[in-house]
């Protein structure tokens, strides 16, 4: 690195990091992959197991429905577990887990494979077949990982619903995916309290008809309602003869679906992003390997939730494909005290911490004394994801947690991309707040309204101009929406929904969403969903939601509500509406602030102008109100 002189404030990697890095000349790999991306990906794919080789690396004939490793037969669960059985990884720790109450569990690769095989047999005995959808709704516990891998092993399609969502969010996802099986925990621990997941699921199930069997994982031991003929205990099923450790693997096509993951879009209901076995496997394997520069002896921790793409790709699949040791923690970062994370890093000697800016900002508030009480010298690398990281938080993370030694991998990507897209590696000079440049084999750009590349340091739409292996394949059951949402504004080019700038060194600076998606504490929520949750309350005639800057959360939700005639405005009603959203969607969607209004700014075609609401709330003059109706 370092032929040209970089501009701005730069953090160069230490000689120690440089000397021990897997790849020193990252520019060379990027340059080679730019000439022939397919060759780069094929080489990465070749490091994994294929039952039958692919005949074509990339098939563009049905674009934008791209296909990768066409004709290849593989299975991601085989590559995560079985592939390691005849190597030194067999007895290596695959998963370390700490519960919020302090319990500890661990699984070697051998043990994780055994549990997965047993559970895969249970699923098969319940009639789950290749292609069937299975919904999982749990906290951060090992059974979630086992459940995901068991589905993958038999070619079933998992749909994980974040344990922080509630009744309507779960119902919608069960119904849209038409899941026959729901795997749910009795409850989960969050900040010392129990979240009654099974009770929430029971309410959602009253609204969803497709579910035939509910498998209940005992986590809290609190009494739950067990519906005869429908509900079964996971631990009981796992002792039956049917739960044998012998389980034939489904040799799937590279393009067979692996999972659905619902995420918020610009309009309407959440959409199910579909990922496949082959390309997703290659993308997560390769990005995890290079970006976290993973070593045999590493203990790696991604503090995200498996219910989001970060957890799918970088708690479960990426690490296991690489034979890494992945640590998972169930609870809240500040429970019982704000040193919980630092205590676990010290206790388990964790080497890599990957988390979100909102978590860093939240922990920053408690001051340096908490981390300083702990030995954090095992840390070698840090990571950030979910939203732009403000330089202040970046520097605190770098100085206080990384002691100035640990480079921060600021990774930009999306549920849709499946894998890191803009990211450094440990040898890349860093600028706080920039994810540096695209990963090898990717072509990205920043364009204006006409689709023309913008100049240096000019803001524009962030787009991806060539396909990549871990890209989403479609929106489940809605290919048209896939085309319209991502490939239509600029034909043939993937629209990310973010705005960004590129500086004189080619470094990307992602600014934020340009659509009606709000990032609250790194969680992605659609204004339409929040509005529809508010609208489902009997007192509400109409509602609008916007995101406003918030010191810790990044953005906070503000809502404007028009009440039905005759309904009286009161603080009590505001609280009731906030609780209603929390009950229907989840606590993360609960508006920070609700204001009653008599009208909402709309375009002539009747669309709410959230920009205008936002400008007003920020005390600014709204721009472009030509289309405003009233
Ligand atoms: C959106 C995708 C992909 C993992 C978690 C979020 C924002 C994500 C960064 C980053 C700036 C980021 C973007 C993106 N985002 N990472 N490093 N810097 N912004 O996945 O829920 O699908 O959200 O998160 O706005 O579009 P997601």
């Amino acid at each position: 690195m370092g032929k040209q002189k970089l501009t701005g404030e730069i953090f160069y990697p230490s000689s120690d990091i440089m000397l021990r890095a897997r790849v020193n000349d990252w520019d060379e790999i990027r340059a080679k992959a730019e000439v022939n991306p397919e060759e780069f990906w094929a080489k990465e794919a070749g490091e994994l197991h294929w039952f039958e080789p692919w005949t074509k690396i990339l098939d563009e004939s049905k674009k934008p429905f791209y296909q990768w490793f066409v004709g290849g037969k593989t299975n991601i669960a085989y590559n995560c577990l079985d592939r390691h059985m005849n190597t030194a990884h067999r007895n290596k720790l695959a998963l370390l887990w700490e519960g919020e109450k302090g319990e500890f569990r661990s699984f070697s690769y051998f043990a994780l494979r055994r549990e997965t095989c047993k559970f895969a047999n249970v699923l098969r005995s319940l009639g789950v077949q290749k292609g069937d959808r299975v919904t999982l709704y749990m906290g951060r516990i090992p059974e979630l990982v086992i459940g995901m891998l068991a589905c993958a092993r038999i070619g079933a399609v998992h749909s994980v619903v974040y344990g922080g969502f509630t009744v309507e969010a779960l119902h919608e996802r069960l119904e849209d995916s038409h899941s026959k099986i729901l795997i749910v925990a009795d409850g989960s621990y969050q900040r010392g309290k129990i979240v009654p997941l099974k009770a929430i699921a029971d309410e959602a199930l009253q609204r969803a008809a497709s579910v035939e069997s509910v498998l209940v994982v005992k986590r809290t031991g609190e009494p739950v309602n067990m519906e005869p003929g429908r509900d079964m205990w996971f631990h009981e099923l796992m002792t039956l003869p049917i739960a044998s450790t012998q389980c034939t693997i489904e040799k799937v096509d590279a393009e067979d679906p692996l999972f659905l993951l619902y995420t918020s879009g610009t309009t309407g209901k959440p959409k199910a992003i579909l990922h496949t076995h082959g390309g997703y496997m290659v993308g997560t394997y390769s990005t995890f390997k290079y970006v976290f520069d993973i070593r045999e002896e590493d203990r790696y921790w991604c503090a995200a939730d498996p219910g989001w793409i970060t957890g799918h790709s970088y708690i479960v699949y990426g690490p296991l494909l690489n034979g890494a040791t992945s640590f998972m923690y169930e609870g809240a970062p500040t429970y019982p005290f704000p040193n919980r994370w630092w205590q676990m890093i010290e206790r388990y000697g964790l080497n890599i911490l990957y988390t979100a800016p909102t978590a860093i900002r939240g922990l920053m508030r408690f001051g340096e004394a908490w981390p300083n009480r702990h030995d954090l010298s095992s840390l070698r690398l840090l990571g950030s994801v979910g939203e732009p990281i403000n330089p202040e938080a970046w520097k605190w993370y770098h100085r206080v947690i990384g002691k100035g030694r640990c480079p921060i991998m600021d990774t930009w990507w999306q549920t849709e991309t499946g894998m890191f897209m803009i990211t450094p590696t440990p040898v890349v000079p860093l600028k706080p707040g920039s994810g540096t440049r695209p990963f090898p084999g990717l072509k990205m750009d920043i364009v204006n309204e006409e689709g023309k590349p913008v100049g240096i340091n000019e803001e524009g739409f962030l787009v991806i101009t060539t396909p990549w292996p871990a890209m989403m394949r479609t929106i489940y059951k809605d290919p048209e929406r896939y085309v319209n949402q991502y490939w239509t504004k600029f034909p043939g080019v993937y629209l990310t929904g973010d705005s960004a700038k590129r500086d004189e060194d080619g470094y990307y600076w992602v600014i934020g969403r340009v659509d009606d998606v709000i990032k609250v504490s790194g969680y992605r929520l659609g204004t339409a969903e929040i509005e529809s949750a508010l609208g489902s309350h009997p007192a509400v005639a109409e509602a609008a939601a916007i995101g406003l800057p918030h010191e810790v959360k990044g953005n906070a939700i503000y809502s404007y509500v028009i009440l039905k005639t005759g309904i009286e405005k009161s603080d009590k009603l505001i609280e009731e509406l906030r609780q209603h959203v929390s009950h229907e969607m989840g606590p993360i969607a609960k508006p920070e602030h609700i204001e009653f209004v008599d009208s909402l700014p709309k375009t002539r075609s009747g669309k709410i102008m959230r920009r205008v609401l936002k400008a007003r709330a920020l005390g600014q003059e709204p721009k472009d109100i030509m289309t405003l109706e009233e």
Side-chain angles (χ1 to χ4, degrees):
M1 291 261 27
K3 268 153 247 147
Q4 89 277 35
K5 178 132 173 47
L6 297 172
T7 53
E9 189 178 15
I10 319 287
F11 288 77
Y12 288 95
S14 67
S15 52
D16 186 46
I17 293 272
M18 292 297 287
L19 281 169
R20 293 168 69 181
R22 170 193 308 267
V23 166
N24 252 291
D25 203 338
W26 189 235
D27 279 349
E28 190 186 307
I29 296 202
R30 291 181 75 249
K32 252 171 84 182
E34 191 166 338
V35 180
N36 195 337
E38 289 181 37
E39 196 175 278
F40 172 80
W41 293 118
K43 186 172 159 290
E44 295 300 309
E47 294 176 12
L48 295 161
H49 182 82
W50 298 80
F51 300 112
E52 274 171 43
W54 58 86
T55 49
K56 201 166 172 28
I57 301 168
L58 169 64
D59 183 350
E60 304 193 81
S61 60
K62 299 186 200 83
K63 67 185 180 189
F65 299 93
Y66 294 95
Q67 298 193 308
W68 284 85
F69 307 108
V70 181
K73 285 215 181 281
T74 188
N75 185 303
I76 197 169
Y78 183 94
N79 275 289
C80 284
L81 300 170
D82 302 59
R83 190 168 70 92
H84 303 303
M85 286 304 112
N86 297 320
T87 73
H89 289 160
R90 183 176 190 268
N91 298 317
K92 185 178 169 175
L93 289 173
L95 190 63
L96 294 171
W97 176 84
E98 188 174 298
E100 194 179 75
K101 295 194 301 175
E103 318 93 303
F104 175 74
R105 289 168 76 189
S106 68
F107 296 80
S108 65
Y109 273 88
F110 174 81
L112 192 59
R113 179 181 175 279
R114 179 193 63 221
E115 297 306 300
T116 299
C117 286
K118 290 179 68 177
F119 189 53
N121 279 322
V122 168
L123 290 176
R124 274 195 179 135
S125 74
L126 291 167
V128 178
Q129 291 176 354
K130 186 178 168 207
D132 287 351
R133 277 82 52 216
V134 173
T135 295
L136 299 97
Y137 180 57
M138 284 181 245
R140 281 187 290 267
I141 53 174
E143 283 76 9
L144 181 50
V145 179
I146 293 165
M148 289 164 72
L149 291 164
C151 288
R153 185 173 187 92
I154 61 175
V157 180
H158 59 71
S159 168
V160 179
V161 177
Y162 171 54
F165 279 136
T166 46
V167 181
E168 185 52 27
L170 176 60
H171 159 239
E172 249 170 32
R173 287 159 177 77
L174 282 169
E175 190 158 281
D176 185 78
S177 64
H178 211 81
S179 291
K180 276 197 283 191
I181 305 256
L182 169 66
I183 309 165
V184 60
D186 54 357
S188 70
Y189 289 98
Q190 196 50 244
R191 240 177 281 275
K193 292 204 194 82
I194 289 176
V195 182
L197 296 175
K198 176 63 166 64
I200 295 168
D202 284 338
E203 202 180 328
L205 286 166
Q206 283 170 11
R207 306 182 193 176
S210 66
V211 177
E212 291 164 10
S213 311
V214 178
L215 315 186
V216 189
V217 176
K218 194 175 240 156
R219 168 64 189 122
T220 66
E222 290 289 303
V224 290
N225 156 55
M226 294 293 278
E227 187 89 20
R230 186 194 73 183
D231 300 356
M232 289 160 269
W233 286 105
F234 176 91
H235 64 271
E236 285 176 5
L237 292 167
M238 289 290 266
T239 59
L240 297 179
I242 187 68
S244 138
T245 55
Q246 307 273 318
C247 174
T248 50
I249 193 124
E250 188 77 42
K251 296 176 180 169
V252 298
D253 280 333
E255 284 294 321
D256 274 337
L258 169 63
F259 65 83
L260 304 178
L261 190 57
Y262 286 83
T263 194
S264 303
T266 310
T267 53
K269 291 188 171 188
K271 50 198 173 178
I273 305 299
L274 184 118
H275 282 287
T276 56
H277 273 255
Y280 175 81
M281 169 174 87
V282 173
T284 53
Y285 165 75
S286 173
T287 48
F288 182 79
K289 176 180 69 173
Y290 288 115
V291 174
F292 289 125
D293 201 15
I294 199 74
R295 306 207 186 123
E296 277 310 329
E297 66 277 20
D298 277 340
R299 286 181 168 191
Y300 156 87
W301 180 21
C302 168
D305 194 284
W308 300 88
I309 192 70
T310 314
H312 279 57
S313 299
Y314 299 108
I315 295 178
V316 182
Y317 292 115
L320 296 178
L321 288 166
N322 278 278
T325 299
S326 194
F327 172 72
M328 184 158 93
Y329 165 59
E330 178 186 41
T334 51
Y335 188 84
F337 300 110
N339 64 333
R340 181 64 183 264
W341 275 22
W342 322 127
Q343 195 178 47
M344 292 188 299
I345 289 171
E346 177 171 13
R347 181 180 303 144
Y348 301 113
L350 305 177
N351 307 99
I352 303 168
L353 169 62
Y354 183 39
T355 185
T358 182
I360 299 161
R361 289 192 297 264
L363 289 161
M364 244 170 100
R365 282 192 311 175
F366 295 100
E368 293 176 30
W370 291 102
N372 287 346
R373 273 168 52 188
H374 296 276
D375 177 5
L376 304 180
S377 62
S378 59
L379 287 174
R380 183 179 85 248
L381 289 177
L382 301 172
S384 175
V385 63
E387 58 179 320
I389 179 163
N390 48 312
E392 194 198 350
W394 194 101
K395 287 180 193 170
W396 188 87
Y397 194 28
H398 189 256
R399 178 176 60 83
V400 179
I401 307 307
K403 309 296 176 204
R405 290 179 289 107
C406 309
I408 299 175
M409 302 299 102
D410 180 356
T411 58
W412 179 92
W413 57 298
Q414 308 179 298
T415 307
E416 293 89 337
T417 70
M419 63 178 219
F420 302 151
M421 299 300 280
I422 302 174
T423 177
T425 66
V427 301
V428 171
L430 304 173
K431 303 188 190 190
S434 166
T436 76
R437 294 172 301 164
F439 191 82
L442 307 179
K443 293 203 173 78
M444 303 185 60
D445 211 341
I446 299 168
V447 301
N448 62 17
E449 198 58 58
E450 284 78 52
K452 300 258 157 25
V454 298
I456 286 172
N457 288 322
E458 273 177 43
E459 188 175 338
F461 298 97
L462 181 66
V463 295
I464 309 171
T465 55
T466 53
W468 64 100
M471 67 198 299
M472 70 185 292
R473 294 304 192 262
T474 190
I475 293 174
Y476 181 61
K477 293 196 307 196
D478 204 349
E480 212 170 299
R481 190 168 169 198
Y482 168 67
V483 176
N484 291 340
Q485 187 119 32
Y486 300 102
W487 302 94
T488 302
K489 186 173 173 77
F490 307 117
V493 168
Y494 173 90
L495 183 72
T496 65
D498 281 7
S499 69
K501 293 182 196 178
R502 200 166 33 198
D503 70 16
E504 39 282 274
D505 300 314
Y507 277 39
Y508 285 71
W509 300 78
V510 172
I511 296 160
R513 302 290 309 190
V514 280
D515 53 12
D516 288 323
V517 166
I518 311 178
K519 279 280 182 158
V520 182
S521 301
Y523 296 120
R524 179 166 156 181
L525 297 167
T527 51
E529 289 164 87
I530 302 160
E531 288 160 7
S532 115
L534 279 167
S536 70
H537 188 281
V540 175
E542 204 177 354
I546 58 167
L548 290 181
H550 183 280
E551 210 180 315
V552 174
K553 298 178 180 177
N555 293 290
I557 301 165
Y558 279 60
S559 306
Y560 300 87
V561 170
I562 303 177
L563 293 174
K564 287 193 182 143
T565 34
I567 306 269
E568 202 145 326
K569 299 171 186 168
S570 71
D571 289 348
K572 200 172 139 264
L573 183 56
I574 289 183
E575 201 36 46
E576 192 179 314
L577 292 176
R578 294 178 70 229
Q579 288 309 330
H580 177 74
V581 176
S582 183
H583 179 262
E584 290 295 304
M585 268 191 82
I588 45 163
K590 187 153 88 179
E592 195 86 356
H593 181 87
I594 295 180
E595 190 179 323
F596 295 125
V597 292
D598 298 324
S599 67
L600 288 166
K602 287 191 183 162
T603 60
R604 281 181 209 111
S605 57
K607 273 168 74 180
I608 296 171
M609 295 187 82
R610 298 188 186 82
R611 272 186 311 107
V612 174
L613 287 169
K614 203 163 167 168
R616 198 194 75 151
L618 293 170
Q620 298 164 348
E621 274 298 306
K623 284 180 270 179
D624 311 327
I625 44 169
M626 296 286 290
T627 50
L628 187 64
E629 202 237 354
E630 48 182 292

